[in-house]
């Protein structure tokens, strides 16, 4: 997939079918837009903003993002798009009128089909709507396609809803809207080394990802990323993760630690992707290490059952 930095760099996409949005998380609603783009024909592309407009316009209220830009681009590619236009978003850019935005897509970039969702708005003060976009396109012989809301069990798929679920630890609800499990990437860093001593060594995952699930114990799958580890179809390894402050040991900082069920070996420095399948229980303080170990054994069995179901 080709990545262009800004509309003016992307003129070779003239005649393209282009989806418009932030696309944080690339959930099922976003995927429906990309399916519509593919139906309209090549070259197929999506335009997204970087940083997320919320970070620029209301930094104090801005949400934690479901996925960072590299992962978003990877997901675009997995949806079959041939190109992405990453438009730098600044306060100055945000002041552009709807007319400017229309001209940049239709005249500068020369898109032929614009694909937006049912609630899409654009330009300063969000004054542009699907109707104004349609008028602007029609005047240039281009078309606008508006995708109706995609819902799952009565819930409209949206980035905000997915974030809410993840923050509550409801990762399987998030998965239903994403169409895949929520994941984050990280590097294995050193911990306190207690895990090995109690029979459950854990990889401490240091992640740049902004959004993490609520504290608790999760059934997970893990895949190694990057050189020299593996190819894109490297296997998903079953695991169980604890997110939290380890109250049994009185640690203050929140960590994400993953115990791989059928793996032994040194993981320090490895880069991995962790997929969260289901929350098994809240984190709690145990009166003794023996009680904690007994519970972790039960967690491992529960995780195996969840992962076996997920792999069916
Ligand atoms: C499946 C699993 C569940 C865990 N649940 C808890 C818990 O409920 N409470 C707690 O204090 N620590 C919990 N832990 C964290 C352990 O205390 C931690 O893995 C161990 O102390 C090793 O930590 P270290 O990496 O800091 O050495 C859990 C760990 C795993 C792997
Ligand atoms: N469930 C959905 N069904 C159809 N289109 C959608 C759906 N969700 C988003 N879209 C469309 O996808 C594009 C990208 O939207 P955006 O990135 O703002 O996503 P969002 O999920 O609505 O985010 P947020 O929850 O933060 O408002 C927009 O054109 C939007 O209208």
């Amino acid at each position: 997939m080709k990545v262009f930095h800004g509309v003016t760099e992307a003129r070779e996409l003239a005649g393209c079918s282009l989806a418009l949005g932030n696309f944080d998380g690339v959930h099922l609603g976003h995927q429906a837009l990309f399916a519509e783009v593919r139906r309209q024909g090549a070259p197929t592309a999506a335009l997204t903003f970087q940083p997320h407009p919320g970070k620029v316009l209301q930094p104090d209220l801005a949400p934690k993002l479901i996925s960072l830009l590299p992962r978003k681009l990877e997901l675009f590619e997995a949806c079959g798009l041939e190109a992405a236009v990453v438009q730098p978003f600044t306060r100055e850019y945000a002041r552009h009128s709807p007319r400017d935005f229309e001209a940049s897509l239709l005249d500068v970039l020369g898109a032929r089909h614009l694909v937006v969702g049912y609630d899409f708005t654009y330009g300063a003060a969000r004054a542009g709507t699907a109707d104004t976009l349609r008028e602007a396109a029609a005047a240039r012989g281009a078309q606008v396609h508006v995708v109706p809301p995609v819902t799952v069990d009565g819930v409209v798929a949206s980035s905000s809803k997915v974030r809410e679920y993840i923050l509550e630890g409801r990762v399987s609800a998030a998965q239903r809207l994403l169409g895949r499990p929520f994941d984050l990437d990280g590097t294995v860093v050193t911990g306190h080394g207690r895990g090995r001593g109690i029979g459950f060594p854990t990889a401490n995952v240091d992640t740049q990802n902004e959004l993490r699930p609520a504290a608790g114990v999760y059934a997970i799958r893990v895949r190694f990323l990057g050189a020299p580890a593996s190819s894109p179809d490297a296997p998903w390894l079953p695991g169980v993760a604890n997110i939290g402050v380890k109250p049994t040991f009185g640690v203050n900082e929140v960590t994400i630690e993953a115990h791989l069920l059928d793996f032994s070996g040194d993981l320090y420095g490895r880069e991995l992707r962790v997929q969260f399948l289901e929350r098994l229980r809240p984190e709690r303080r145990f009166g003794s290490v023996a009680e904690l170990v007994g519970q972790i054994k039960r967690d491992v069995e529960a995780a195996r059952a969840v992962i076996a179901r997920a792999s069916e």
Side-chain angles (χ1 to χ4, degrees):
M1 189 180 70
K2 277 196 164 180
V3 179
F4 298 93
H5 295 279
V7 166
T8 49
E9 303 291 308
R11 291 172 208 255
E12 72 185 70
L13 292 176
C16 67
S17 305
L18 185 71
L20 308 176
N22 297 314
F23 302 121
D24 182 33
V26 191
H27 58 63
L28 291 177
H30 301 151
Q31 293 171 36
L33 265 68
F34 301 156
E36 185 60 35
V37 162
R38 290 197 307 272
R39 261 194 296 282
Q40 298 310 324
T44 56
L47 178 133
T48 188
F49 303 101
Q50 179 71 9
H52 187 281
K55 304 257 180 206
V56 176
L57 300 175
Q58 291 183 294
D60 298 341
L61 302 175
K64 290 188 170 150
L65 297 181
I66 301 163
S67 40
L68 300 177
L69 184 64
R71 178 70 176 131
K72 174 153 72 174
L73 295 176
E74 206 179 299
L75 292 164
F76 282 3
E77 187 163 25
C79 289
L81 297 180
E82 292 160 323
V85 182
V86 180
Q87 176 62 48
F89 195 91
T90 59
R91 282 185 167 273
E92 192 193 345
Y93 181 82
R95 282 196 288 271
H96 281 106
S97 69
R99 301 297 89 74
D100 291 341
F101 187 64
E102 292 155 6
S104 78
L105 301 180
L106 294 160
D107 301 332
V108 179
L109 195 137
R112 216 180 137 57
H113 296 277
L114 296 175
V115 178
V116 299
Y118 66 104
D119 64 348
F120 182 70
T121 55
Y122 61 98
R126 300 183 150 213
T129 64
D131 287 335
T132 57
L133 192 61
R134 199 177 263 131
E135 262 174 54
R140 290 143 163 121
Q143 285 180 9
V144 172
H145 309 268
V146 181
V147 175
V150 171
T151 61
V152 179
D153 301 331
V155 177
V156 177
S158 74
S159 304
S160 326
K161 198 71 196 171
V162 173
R163 290 183 199 117
E164 185 186 314
Y165 284 151
I166 294 168
L167 287 170
E168 289 170 352
R170 300 170 65 190
V171 293
S172 45
Q175 173 168 355
R176 281 194 291 280
L177 296 185
L178 287 170
R180 61 172 194 285
F182 168 69
D183 58 51
L184 53 80
D185 293 352
T187 307
V188 180
V189 296
T190 46
H192 292 284
R194 276 184 298 252
R196 194 166 294 281
I198 63 174
F200 291 97
T202 58
N204 289 266
V205 181
D206 180 27
T207 182
Q208 301 299 309
N209 213 75
E210 296 179 2
L211 199 65
R212 296 119 205 255
V217 178
Y218 293 84
I220 59 167
R221 279 194 301 213
V222 171
R223 198 170 88 179
F224 296 115
L225 301 171
S230 40
S231 65
D233 53 356
W236 285 104
L237 306 173
V240 63
N242 185 60
I243 300 183
V245 292
K246 304 171 211 177
T248 309
F249 297 95
V251 179
N252 280 324
E253 152 211 32
V254 174
T255 58
I256 302 177
E257 26 167 11
H259 170 70
L260 300 186
L261 302 188
D262 306 307
F263 182 90
S264 61
D266 184 4
L267 291 175
Y268 291 131
R270 300 287 291 270
E271 283 176 38
L272 37 83
R273 175 163 295 163
V274 183
Q275 260 188 353
F276 292 86
L277 301 180
E278 204 168 295
R279 186 167 192 253
L280 301 174
R281 65 172 175 90
E283 188 184 43
R284 48 174 282 226
R285 186 178 176 284
F286 290 90
S288 70
V289 172
E291 280 175 71
L292 169 64
V293 169
Q295 179 58 52
I296 293 178
K297 284 182 180 157
R298 291 191 290 278
D299 295 335
V300 165
E301 289 323 304
R304 274 193 202 285
V306 168
I307 296 160
R309 269 204 312 275
S311 315
E312 274 168 9

mmCIF file of all heavy atoms in Angstrom, residues 19-24 27-30 32-33 52 63 115-121 126 147-151 155-161 163, ligand 2:
data_model
loop_
_atom_site.group_PDB
_atom_site.id
_atom_site.type_symbol
_atom_site.label_atom_id
_atom_site.label_comp_id
_atom_site.label_asym_id
_atom_site.label_seq_id
_atom_site.Cartn_x
_atom_site.Cartn_y
_atom_site.Cartn_z
ATOM 1 N N ALA A 19 -12.209 7.037 0.746
ATOM 2 C CA ALA A 19 -13.001 7.101 1.980
ATOM 3 C C ALA A 19 -12.433 8.211 2.858
ATOM 4 O O ALA A 19 -11.214 8.419 2.885
ATOM 5 C CB ALA A 19 -12.924 5.771 2.719
ATOM 6 N N LEU A 20 -13.319 8.910 3.586
ATOM 7 C CA LEU A 20 -12.884 10.044 4.402
ATOM 8 C C LEU A 20 -13.204 9.798 5.868
ATOM 9 O O LEU A 20 -14.338 9.431 6.192
ATOM 10 C CB LEU A 20 -13.619 11.314 3.959
ATOM 11 C CG LEU A 20 -13.571 11.659 2.474
ATOM 12 C CD1 LEU A 20 -14.429 12.892 2.198
ATOM 13 C CD2 LEU A 20 -12.124 11.902 2.037
ATOM 14 N N GLY A 21 -12.229 10.029 6.750
ATOM 15 C CA GLY A 21 -12.512 9.896 8.182
ATOM 16 C C GLY A 21 -11.246 9.812 9.004
ATOM 17 O O GLY A 21 -10.135 9.843 8.474
ATOM 18 N N ASN A 22 -11.447 9.686 10.327
ATOM 19 C CA ASN A 22 -10.286 9.502 11.205
ATOM 20 C C ASN A 22 -9.886 8.032 11.259
ATOM 21 O O ASN A 22 -8.719 7.705 11.340
ATOM 22 C CB ASN A 22 -10.621 9.983 12.620
ATOM 23 C CG ASN A 22 -10.912 11.463 12.631
ATOM 24 O OD1 ASN A 22 -10.166 12.231 12.033
ATOM 25 N ND2 ASN A 22 -11.999 11.865 13.270
ATOM 26 N N PHE A 23 -10.882 7.208 11.291
ATOM 27 C CA PHE A 23 -10.687 5.752 11.238
ATOM 28 C C PHE A 23 -9.889 5.193 12.408
ATOM 29 O O PHE A 23 -9.126 4.245 12.254
ATOM 30 C CB PHE A 23 -10.027 5.336 9.907
ATOM 31 C CG PHE A 23 -10.811 5.754 8.694
ATOM 32 C CD1 PHE A 23 -10.255 6.586 7.732
ATOM 33 C CD2 PHE A 23 -12.119 5.338 8.525
ATOM 34 C CE1 PHE A 23 -10.980 6.988 6.622
ATOM 35 C CE2 PHE A 23 -12.865 5.733 7.417
ATOM 36 C CZ PHE A 23 -12.292 6.558 6.459
ATOM 37 N N ASP A 24 -10.063 5.758 13.603
ATOM 38 C CA ASP A 24 -9.364 5.172 14.743
ATOM 39 C C ASP A 24 -9.957 3.797 15.049
ATOM 40 O O ASP A 24 -11.153 3.670 15.325
ATOM 41 C CB ASP A 24 -9.461 6.085 15.972
ATOM 42 C CG ASP A 24 -8.698 5.502 17.151
ATOM 43 O OD1 ASP A 24 -7.658 4.839 16.917
ATOM 44 O OD2 ASP A 24 -9.138 5.685 18.307
ATOM 45 N N HIS A 27 -12.927 0.012 12.741
ATOM 46 C CA HIS A 27 -14.000 -0.890 13.163
ATOM 47 C C HIS A 27 -14.904 -1.263 11.986
ATOM 48 O O HIS A 27 -14.649 -0.841 10.843
ATOM 49 C CB HIS A 27 -14.783 -0.264 14.323
ATOM 50 C CG HIS A 27 -15.393 1.081 14.017
ATOM 51 N ND1 HIS A 27 -16.348 1.260 13.051
ATOM 52 C CD2 HIS A 27 -15.166 2.315 14.562
ATOM 53 C CE1 HIS A 27 -16.721 2.527 13.012
ATOM 54 N NE2 HIS A 27 -16.002 3.213 13.910
ATOM 55 N N LEU A 28 -15.962 -2.005 12.279
ATOM 56 C CA LEU A 28 -16.810 -2.531 11.189
ATOM 57 C C LEU A 28 -17.481 -1.425 10.369
ATOM 58 O O LEU A 28 -17.711 -1.600 9.172
ATOM 59 C CB LEU A 28 -17.869 -3.487 11.750
ATOM 60 C CG LEU A 28 -17.323 -4.810 12.303
ATOM 61 C CD1 LEU A 28 -18.467 -5.634 12.910
ATOM 62 C CD2 LEU A 28 -16.626 -5.620 11.207
ATOM 63 N N GLY A 29 -17.780 -0.276 10.995
ATOM 64 C CA GLY A 29 -18.339 0.855 10.242
ATOM 65 C C GLY A 29 -17.330 1.346 9.217
ATOM 66 O O GLY A 29 -17.649 1.561 8.042
ATOM 67 N N HIS A 30 -16.095 1.521 9.667
ATOM 68 C CA HIS A 30 -15.022 1.954 8.758
ATOM 69 C C HIS A 30 -14.822 0.922 7.641
ATOM 70 O O HIS A 30 -14.646 1.268 6.473
ATOM 71 C CB HIS A 30 -13.719 2.139 9.533
ATOM 72 C CG HIS A 30 -13.808 3.151 10.641
ATOM 73 N ND1 HIS A 30 -13.048 3.087 11.782
ATOM 74 C CD2 HIS A 30 -14.581 4.255 10.773
ATOM 75 C CE1 HIS A 30 -13.341 4.107 12.568
ATOM 76 N NE2 HIS A 30 -14.266 4.831 11.988
ATOM 77 N N ALA A 32 -16.963 -0.994 6.375
ATOM 78 C CA ALA A 32 -18.062 -0.912 5.389
ATOM 79 C C ALA A 32 -17.761 0.196 4.377
ATOM 80 O O ALA A 32 -18.067 0.067 3.189
ATOM 81 C CB ALA A 32 -19.386 -0.648 6.105
ATOM 82 N N LEU A 33 -17.140 1.287 4.846
ATOM 83 C CA LEU A 33 -16.761 2.357 3.910
ATOM 84 C C LEU A 33 -15.722 1.831 2.905
ATOM 85 O O LEU A 33 -15.791 2.121 1.714
ATOM 86 C CB LEU A 33 -16.166 3.549 4.669
ATOM 87 C CG LEU A 33 -17.144 4.680 5.027
ATOM 88 C CD1 LEU A 33 -18.162 4.240 6.054
ATOM 89 C CD2 LEU A 33 -16.393 5.910 5.544
ATOM 90 N N HIS A 52 -4.717 12.908 15.275
ATOM 91 C CA HIS A 52 -6.170 12.880 15.365
ATOM 92 C C HIS A 52 -6.650 14.309 15.675
ATOM 93 O O HIS A 52 -6.099 14.968 16.567
ATOM 94 C CB HIS A 52 -6.561 11.932 16.502
ATOM 95 C CG HIS A 52 -8.039 11.678 16.604
ATOM 96 N ND1 HIS A 52 -8.896 12.583 17.196
ATOM 97 C CD2 HIS A 52 -8.802 10.647 16.198
ATOM 98 C CE1 HIS A 52 -10.128 12.099 17.140
ATOM 99 N NE2 HIS A 52 -10.096 10.923 16.539
ATOM 100 N N PRO A 63 -9.406 11.775 23.203
ATOM 101 C CA PRO A 63 -9.451 10.381 23.646
ATOM 102 C C PRO A 63 -8.108 9.696 23.463
ATOM 103 O O PRO A 63 -7.289 10.118 22.647
ATOM 104 C CB PRO A 63 -10.478 9.761 22.703
ATOM 105 C CG PRO A 63 -10.405 10.586 21.464
ATOM 106 C CD PRO A 63 -10.051 11.979 21.897
ATOM 107 N N VAL A 115 -16.372 8.445 -0.439
ATOM 108 C CA VAL A 115 -17.196 7.557 0.383
ATOM 109 C C VAL A 115 -17.138 8.039 1.827
ATOM 110 O O VAL A 115 -16.041 8.185 2.396
ATOM 111 C CB VAL A 115 -16.692 6.094 0.273
ATOM 112 C CG1 VAL A 115 -17.518 5.184 1.178
ATOM 113 C CG2 VAL A 115 -16.745 5.614 -1.180
ATOM 114 N N VAL A 116 -18.316 8.331 2.400
ATOM 115 C CA VAL A 116 -18.367 8.823 3.780
ATOM 116 C C VAL A 116 -19.463 8.087 4.532
ATOM 117 O O VAL A 116 -20.343 7.477 3.937
ATOM 118 C CB VAL A 116 -18.651 10.353 3.827
ATOM 119 C CG1 VAL A 116 -17.553 11.129 3.128
ATOM 120 C CG2 VAL A 116 -20.017 10.675 3.211
ATOM 121 N N GLY A 117 -19.424 8.209 5.850
ATOM 122 C CA GLY A 117 -20.455 7.598 6.682
ATOM 123 C C GLY A 117 -21.635 8.536 6.844
ATOM 124 O O GLY A 117 -21.574 9.711 6.467
ATOM 125 N N TYR A 118 -22.679 7.985 7.458
ATOM 126 C CA TYR A 118 -23.958 8.690 7.602
ATOM 127 C C TYR A 118 -23.844 9.997 8.388
ATOM 128 O O TYR A 118 -24.681 10.883 8.233
ATOM 129 C CB TYR A 118 -24.955 7.747 8.300
ATOM 130 C CG TYR A 118 -24.528 7.453 9.719
ATOM 131 C CD1 TYR A 118 -25.165 8.055 10.785
ATOM 132 C CD2 TYR A 118 -23.424 6.624 9.993
ATOM 133 C CE1 TYR A 118 -24.746 7.826 12.083
ATOM 134 C CE2 TYR A 118 -23.003 6.391 11.268
ATOM 135 C CZ TYR A 118 -23.664 7.000 12.311
ATOM 136 O OH TYR A 118 -23.230 6.793 13.587
ATOM 137 N N ASP A 119 -22.829 10.111 9.264
ATOM 138 C CA ASP A 119 -22.753 11.305 10.118
ATOM 139 C C ASP A 119 -21.518 12.158 9.798
ATOM 140 O O ASP A 119 -21.071 12.948 10.621
ATOM 141 C CB ASP A 119 -22.743 10.899 11.600
ATOM 142 C CG ASP A 119 -21.506 10.084 11.960
ATOM 143 O OD1 ASP A 119 -20.774 9.645 11.030
ATOM 144 O OD2 ASP A 119 -21.263 9.873 13.158
ATOM 145 N N PHE A 120 -20.979 12.006 8.608
ATOM 146 C CA PHE A 120 -19.736 12.702 8.268
ATOM 147 C C PHE A 120 -19.944 14.220 8.162
ATOM 148 O O PHE A 120 -20.909 14.687 7.562
ATOM 149 C CB PHE A 120 -19.202 12.168 6.929
ATOM 150 C CG PHE A 120 -17.899 12.799 6.513
ATOM 151 C CD1 PHE A 120 -16.733 12.519 7.203
ATOM 152 C CD2 PHE A 120 -17.843 13.676 5.438
ATOM 153 C CE1 PHE A 120 -15.525 13.100 6.835
ATOM 154 C CE2 PHE A 120 -16.642 14.261 5.061
ATOM 155 C CZ PHE A 120 -15.477 13.974 5.767
ATOM 156 N N THR A 121 -19.031 14.985 8.764
ATOM 157 C CA THR A 121 -19.031 16.450 8.617
ATOM 158 C C THR A 121 -17.592 16.882 8.359
ATOM 159 O O THR A 121 -16.656 16.145 8.685
ATOM 160 C CB THR A 121 -19.528 17.146 9.899
ATOM 161 O OG1 THR A 121 -18.716 16.692 10.988
ATOM 162 C CG2 THR A 121 -20.990 16.850 10.178
ATOM 163 N N ARG A 126 -17.256 22.342 11.308
ATOM 164 C CA ARG A 126 -17.945 21.130 10.811
ATOM 165 C C ARG A 126 -19.174 21.495 9.983
ATOM 166 O O ARG A 126 -20.215 20.835 10.065
ATOM 167 C CB ARG A 126 -18.384 20.246 11.984
ATOM 168 C CG ARG A 126 -17.207 19.803 12.814
ATOM 169 C CD ARG A 126 -17.669 18.885 13.918
ATOM 170 N NE ARG A 126 -16.600 17.952 14.230
ATOM 171 C CZ ARG A 126 -16.796 16.713 14.627
ATOM 172 N NH1 ARG A 126 -18.010 16.216 14.743
ATOM 173 N NH2 ARG A 126 -15.778 15.920 14.897
ATOM 174 N N VAL A 147 -22.595 5.820 3.412
ATOM 175 C CA VAL A 147 -22.826 4.489 3.990
ATOM 176 C C VAL A 147 -23.720 4.634 5.220
ATOM 177 O O VAL A 147 -23.417 5.427 6.112
ATOM 178 C CB VAL A 147 -21.467 3.840 4.368
ATOM 179 C CG1 VAL A 147 -21.670 2.514 5.088
ATOM 180 C CG2 VAL A 147 -20.610 3.649 3.108
ATOM 181 N N PRO A 148 -24.827 3.886 5.284
ATOM 182 C CA PRO A 148 -25.710 3.961 6.459
ATOM 183 C C PRO A 148 -25.030 3.359 7.690
ATOM 184 O O PRO A 148 -24.046 2.620 7.558
ATOM 185 C CB PRO A 148 -26.930 3.130 6.041
ATOM 186 C CG PRO A 148 -26.480 2.281 4.915
ATOM 187 C CD PRO A 148 -25.302 2.951 4.263
ATOM 188 N N PRO A 149 -25.553 3.666 8.888
ATOM 189 C CA PRO A 149 -24.883 3.184 10.103
ATOM 190 C C PRO A 149 -24.769 1.665 10.173
ATOM 191 O O PRO A 149 -25.747 0.962 9.922
ATOM 192 C CB PRO A 149 -25.776 3.700 11.243
ATOM 193 C CG PRO A 149 -26.939 4.361 10.616
ATOM 194 C CD PRO A 149 -26.703 4.519 9.166
ATOM 195 N N VAL A 150 -23.582 1.207 10.509
ATOM 196 C CA VAL A 150 -23.356 -0.225 10.724
ATOM 197 C C VAL A 150 -23.569 -0.489 12.212
ATOM 198 O O VAL A 150 -22.958 0.182 13.054
ATOM 199 C CB VAL A 150 -21.915 -0.613 10.323
ATOM 200 C CG1 VAL A 150 -21.600 -2.037 10.755
ATOM 201 C CG2 VAL A 150 -21.723 -0.429 8.824
ATOM 202 N N THR A 151 -24.450 -1.433 12.523
ATOM 203 C CA THR A 151 -24.710 -1.733 13.932
ATOM 204 C C THR A 151 -24.428 -3.210 14.208
ATOM 205 O O THR A 151 -24.480 -4.043 13.294
ATOM 206 C CB THR A 151 -26.189 -1.453 14.298
ATOM 207 O OG1 THR A 151 -27.009 -2.299 13.489
ATOM 208 C CG2 THR A 151 -26.579 -0.012 14.043
ATOM 209 N N VAL A 155 -26.088 -1.875 18.500
ATOM 210 C CA VAL A 155 -25.125 -0.830 18.875
ATOM 211 C C VAL A 155 -24.427 -0.327 17.610
ATOM 212 O O VAL A 155 -23.888 -1.119 16.840
ATOM 213 C CB VAL A 155 -24.053 -1.382 19.850
ATOM 214 C CG1 VAL A 155 -23.011 -0.328 20.187
ATOM 215 C CG2 VAL A 155 -24.721 -1.915 21.101
ATOM 216 N N VAL A 156 -24.449 0.993 17.409
ATOM 217 C CA VAL A 156 -23.762 1.565 16.241
ATOM 218 C C VAL A 156 -22.255 1.475 16.475
ATOM 219 O O VAL A 156 -21.762 1.903 17.533
ATOM 220 C CB VAL A 156 -24.161 3.041 16.032
ATOM 221 C CG1 VAL A 156 -23.388 3.649 14.862
ATOM 222 C CG2 VAL A 156 -25.654 3.159 15.795
ATOM 223 N N ALA A 157 -21.546 0.906 15.513
ATOM 224 C CA ALA A 157 -20.084 0.828 15.634
ATOM 225 C C ALA A 157 -19.516 2.240 15.595
ATOM 226 O O ALA A 157 -19.841 3.012 14.695
ATOM 227 C CB ALA A 157 -19.510 -0.003 14.488
ATOM 228 N N SER A 158 -18.708 2.592 16.591
ATOM 229 C CA SER A 158 -18.025 3.887 16.566
ATOM 230 C C SER A 158 -16.735 3.754 17.357
ATOM 231 O O SER A 158 -16.632 2.909 18.257
ATOM 232 C CB SER A 158 -18.891 4.994 17.174
ATOM 233 O OG SER A 158 -18.942 4.856 18.578
ATOM 234 N N SER A 159 -15.783 4.603 17.039
ATOM 235 C CA SER A 159 -14.506 4.559 17.754
ATOM 236 C C SER A 159 -14.746 4.842 19.233
ATOM 237 O O SER A 159 -14.124 4.222 20.109
ATOM 238 C CB SER A 159 -13.534 5.586 17.177
ATOM 239 O OG SER A 159 -13.360 5.370 15.795
ATOM 240 N N SER A 160 -15.661 5.776 19.533
ATOM 241 C CA SER A 160 -15.905 6.139 20.936
ATOM 242 C C SER A 160 -16.437 4.934 21.721
ATOM 243 O O SER A 160 -16.035 4.707 22.863
ATOM 244 C CB SER A 160 -16.936 7.252 21.051
ATOM 245 O OG SER A 160 -16.841 8.124 19.981
ATOM 246 N N LYS A 161 -17.334 4.179 21.110
ATOM 247 C CA LYS A 161 -17.922 3.025 21.810
ATOM 248 C C LYS A 161 -16.847 1.958 22.043
ATOM 249 O O LYS A 161 -16.774 1.356 23.114
ATOM 250 C CB LYS A 161 -19.069 2.455 20.958
ATOM 251 C CG LYS A 161 -20.001 1.574 21.717
ATOM 252 C CD LYS A 161 -20.841 2.387 22.683
ATOM 253 C CE LYS A 161 -21.502 1.513 23.730
ATOM 254 N NZ LYS A 161 -22.140 2.317 24.786
ATOM 255 N N ARG A 163 -13.661 2.457 22.368
ATOM 256 C CA ARG A 163 -12.781 2.947 23.452
ATOM 257 C C ARG A 163 -13.418 2.721 24.816
ATOM 258 O O ARG A 163 -12.756 2.283 25.760
ATOM 259 C CB ARG A 163 -12.544 4.457 23.285
ATOM 260 C CG ARG A 163 -11.683 4.796 22.121
ATOM 261 C CD ARG A 163 -11.430 6.320 22.077
ATOM 262 N NE ARG A 163 -10.997 6.677 20.756
ATOM 263 C CZ ARG A 163 -11.663 7.498 19.929
ATOM 264 N NH1 ARG A 163 -12.764 8.105 20.320
ATOM 265 N NH2 ARG A 163 -11.201 7.726 18.728
HETATM 266 N N1 LIG B 2 -21.079 2.544 12.236
HETATM 267 C C1 LIG B 2 -20.800 3.233 11.126
HETATM 268 N N2 LIG B 2 -21.511 2.996 9.999
HETATM 269 C C2 LIG B 2 -21.243 3.682 8.866
HETATM 270 N N3 LIG B 2 -20.299 4.624 8.779
HETATM 271 C C3 LIG B 2 -19.584 4.909 9.866
HETATM 272 C C4 LIG B 2 -19.787 4.228 11.087
HETATM 273 N N4 LIG B 2 -18.911 4.718 11.999
HETATM 274 C C5 LIG B 2 -18.196 5.666 11.356
HETATM 275 N N5 LIG B 2 -18.591 5.799 10.084
HETATM 276 C C6 LIG B 2 -18.028 6.704 9.077
HETATM 277 O O1 LIG B 2 -16.658 6.446 8.934
HETATM 278 C C7 LIG B 2 -15.954 7.654 8.675
HETATM 279 C C8 LIG B 2 -14.905 7.840 9.721
HETATM 280 O O2 LIG B 2 -15.538 8.203 10.906
HETATM 281 P P1 LIG B 2 -14.754 8.498 12.242
HETATM 282 O O3 LIG B 2 -13.333 8.128 12.095
HETATM 283 O O4 LIG B 2 -15.113 9.848 12.711
HETATM 284 O O5 LIG B 2 -15.369 7.317 13.090
HETATM 285 P P2 LIG B 2 -16.342 7.178 14.298
HETATM 286 O O6 LIG B 2 -16.239 5.743 14.584
HETATM 287 O O7 LIG B 2 -17.687 7.744 14.007
HETATM 288 O O8 LIG B 2 -15.592 8.001 15.447
HETATM 289 P P3 LIG B 2 -16.129 8.687 16.789
HETATM 290 O O9 LIG B 2 -16.807 7.642 17.604
HETATM 291 O O10 LIG B 2 -14.851 9.169 17.417
HETATM 292 O O11 LIG B 2 -17.043 9.796 16.350
HETATM 293 C C9 LIG B 2 -16.977 8.772 8.681
HETATM 294 O O12 LIG B 2 -17.308 9.062 7.349
HETATM 295 C C10 LIG B 2 -18.123 8.168 9.483
HETATM 296 O O13 LIG B 2 -19.347 8.766 9.135
#
